[in-house]
Amino acid sequence: MNFTRIDLDTWSRKPYFEHYLDRVRCTYSMTANLDVTRLLAEVRLKRIKLYPALLHMITAVVNRHLEFRTCFDAEGRLGYWDRMSPGYTIFHDDDKTFSSIWTSYCDDFHAFYNRYLDDSNKYGNVKGLAAKPNEPPNTFPISSIPWVSFTGFNLNIYNEGTYLLPIFTMGKYFPQDGKIMIPLSAQLHHAVCDGYHAGVLFRDLQERAEACTDWL
């Protein structure tokens, strides 16, 4: 993983970044329903799990766009990672708690899927907030609320407001007009992502879901 620093003085986004970080510091969330009819049919046909397929799909799109990889590093320097990996939640049914695991991303889904299965087997029953140790800095969070087909989701984060990476939350899939839809919320920081970028994000996610036979 490589971190490339951004020269703020020559960055075309400088006025927007400074406005939404220093003067009107804000994040925003957008929730959209993705059509996963084809994706769900494909994972069932191949007898693979839906959750890692969605993790891979989201991460692949995040890695396409610099806006979703831009953040501050451990020294507080602004820049972007060349590659991101997902940090995601797993649910413990016995005590209704959750833990976080991360899996190193790779473009090949089957290699990623095997890594996901290995991590699930090793850390799936480990309790505590962080089940898998040594999470690298180039990860971003994905969580699931598979009990609710929500129409909106917003995280109220009370800290310095300088976490710039996207945060994703997926809900329960449901039938609609002969299709299977899944709600997905993306929490974005306005300093690095505008409404246009959110639109590109959901457009690319839908296109990748429809082209699932090319990568599953």
Side-chain angles (χ1 to χ4, degrees), residues 30 32 34 36 39 50-69 83-89 103 105-107 109 112 138-145 150 165-171 182-188 197-198 200-210 212 215-216:
M30 181 178 292
L34 297 178
V36 292
L39 177 65
L50 177 63
Y51 192 36
L54 292 169
L55 295 176
H56 189 275
M57 185 176 82
I58 293 170
T59 308
V61 173
V62 164
N63 281 324
R64 288 181 186 174
H65 303 283
L66 183 147
E67 292 81 10
F68 308 130
R69 294 181 278 114
R83 181 64 62 94
M84 302 293 294
S85 292
Y88 52 93
T89 56
T103 295
Y105 175 79
C106 60
D107 292 327
F109 171 73
F112 174 80
N138 63 325
T139 60
F140 68 99
I142 304 175
S143 61
S144 177
I145 306 177
F150 53 75
L165 295 173
I167 303 173
F168 294 91
T169 307
M170 62 184 78
I182 188 168
L184 179 68
S185 172
Q187 186 99 356
L188 305 169
H197 304 108
V200 169
L201 171 71
F202 283 102
R203 180 202 67 193
D204 286 5
L205 286 169
Q206 186 59 67
E207 289 179 352
R208 190 156 180 84
E210 293 173 358
C212 61
W215 54 271
L216 278 179

Side-chain angles (χ1 to χ4, degrees), residues 2 10 18 39 65 99 118 128 136 144 159 164-165 172 183 198 202:
N2 296 307
T10 61
E18 291 181 335
L39 177 65
H65 303 283
S99 298
D118 287 342
S144 177
N159 58 18
L164 304 180
L165 295 173
K172 179 182 179 180
F202 283 102

Side-chain angles (χ1 to χ4, degrees), residues 94-191:
D94 55 348
D95 61 1
K96 314 306 180 191
T97 62
F98 73 92
S99 298
S100 294
I101 292 178
W102 59 274
T103 295
S104 181
Y105 175 79
C106 60
D107 292 327
D108 181 77
F109 171 73
H110 299 287
F112 174 80
Y113 187 66
N114 288 330
R115 294 178 184 178
Y116 168 88
L117 293 178
D118 287 342
D119 286 333
S120 296
N121 290 332
K122 290 179 182 178
Y123 305 105
N125 293 320
V126 177
K127 300 294 178 67
L129 185 60
K132 182 181 177 181
N134 303 318
E135 182 171 351
N138 63 325
T139 60
F140 68 99
I142 304 175
S143 61
S144 177
I145 306 177
W147 310 278
V148 184
S149 301
F150 53 75
T151 57
F153 186 86
N154 185 67
L155 292 168
N156 300 305
I157 302 173
Y158 299 98
N159 58 18
E160 296 85 357
T162 57
Y163 185 83
L164 304 180
L165 295 173
I167 303 173
F168 294 91
T169 307
M170 62 184 78
K172 179 182 179 180
Y173 63 78
F174 62 95
Q176 183 181 74
D177 300 327
K179 300 177 181 179
I180 304 298
M181 315 295 289
I182 188 168
L184 179 68
S185 172
Q187 186 99 356
L188 305 169
H189 203 298
H190 212 339

